[in-house]
Amino acid sequence: MGVLKSGGADSMSLRRRNEELEKELEASQEREQVMREELKRAWERLKVAEEAEERLSSQLGELEAEALTQARDYHQQITSLMNQLSHAHKLLQAASTSHSIASCT
């Protein structure tokens, strides 16, 4: 009978240990599921961030192109105004020269 009692104690000990291991496994699986969900949310946030980065890069490219066009337009306008100013200056010099010649005679 001592063998049966000893065998019964071992069996109970193994059952308790098995229950502990099953609880640990269940807790581990729950933690794994939580981590999977967190990873999925992080992946989704990363995807949103990448899409936003692409949109911002596209907008930045458009703004750079627009700025370049405006800079070229302004440069062209400045060049035109400088030419007009130069032409007006030449006309004033010519008028001043002819006025000087006329007053000398």
Side-chain angles (χ1 to χ4, degrees):
M1 292 231 355
V3 174
L4 289 176
K5 282 185 179 180
S6 176
D10 286 344
S11 176
M12 288 296 285
S13 174
L14 288 174
R15 283 185 194 160
R16 272 187 256 130
R17 180 65 181 144
N18 192 32
E19 288 173 4
E20 290 172 8
L21 290 173
E22 285 177 357
K23 286 179 184 178
E24 288 178 24
L25 175 62
E26 186 177 324
S28 175
Q29 289 173 337
E30 288 175 7
R31 285 191 306 271
E32 181 182 355
Q33 185 60 31
V34 167
M35 294 299 287
R36 285 181 191 273
E37 290 169 4
E38 287 179 13
L39 178 61
K40 182 180 177 183
R41 286 191 299 272
W43 184 260
E44 289 169 356
R45 286 192 308 271
L46 176 62
K47 188 176 175 181
V48 167
E50 286 177 343
E51 290 171 356
E53 180 186 17
E54 288 177 16
R55 285 192 306 272
L56 287 173
S57 293
S58 175
Q59 291 173 354
L60 181 59
E62 291 171 4
L63 288 173
E64 287 175 343
E66 184 179 336
L68 182 61
T69 300
Q70 286 181 356
R72 286 180 179 158
D73 290 346
Y74 289 141
H75 183 265
Q76 189 177 22
Q77 188 176 11
I78 289 170
T79 302
S80 174
L81 290 171
M82 287 175 55
N83 289 337
Q84 290 176 19
L85 184 60
S86 176
H87 182 68
H89 184 67
K90 288 177 185 176
L91 289 176
L92 285 173
Q93 280 182 334
S96 175
T97 304
S98 19
H99 180 65
S100 295
I101 294 174
S103 62
C104 286
T105 56

